Amino acid sequence: AVVNAKREDLLKILTKRFDKVSNNTQKHLQEVHSVEELDRLIDLALASSSLAKFEAKMRQDTAETR
């Protein structure tokens, strides 16, 4: 339940800040099941100056952790 709430919060932040969120980004976020990771992504969303920068950093971080 907490993970779903965090994911919804993150999508809301991204939508409010950048209008549209790509299907690929939404799909990627659905695959995140860690509260800590979602918290980190929320911080990243708040700090990013554009959706493209958020997505690039999100992909970079995901590649480093796999």
Side-chain angles (χ1 to χ4, degrees):
V2 173
V3 170
N4 286 336
K6 294 269 186 188
R7 192 179 293 121
E8 288 175 16
D9 289 345
L10 177 53
L11 284 169
K12 186 175 187 177
I13 290 167
L14 291 170
T15 302
K16 293 276 187 191
R17 291 205 65 218
F18 308 119
D19 294 321
K20 281 190 150 188
V21 179
S22 72
N23 289 337
N24 286 341
T25 296
Q26 290 182 41
K27 181 181 175 195
H28 179 85
L29 296 178
Q30 290 299 323
E31 296 171 359
V32 177
H33 300 289
S34 159
V35 171
E36 293 81 13
E37 178 69 6
L38 288 165
D39 280 338
R40 192 188 62 72
L41 290 171
I42 287 170
D43 290 342
L44 179 62
L46 293 169
S48 296
S49 60
S50 71
L51 183 59
K53 288 183 180 183
F54 170 83
E55 291 170 334
K57 181 69 173 151
M58 179 181 66
R59 284 191 301 273
Q60 176 187 347
D61 290 354
T62 300
E64 290 175 359
T65 58
R66 287 190 178 175

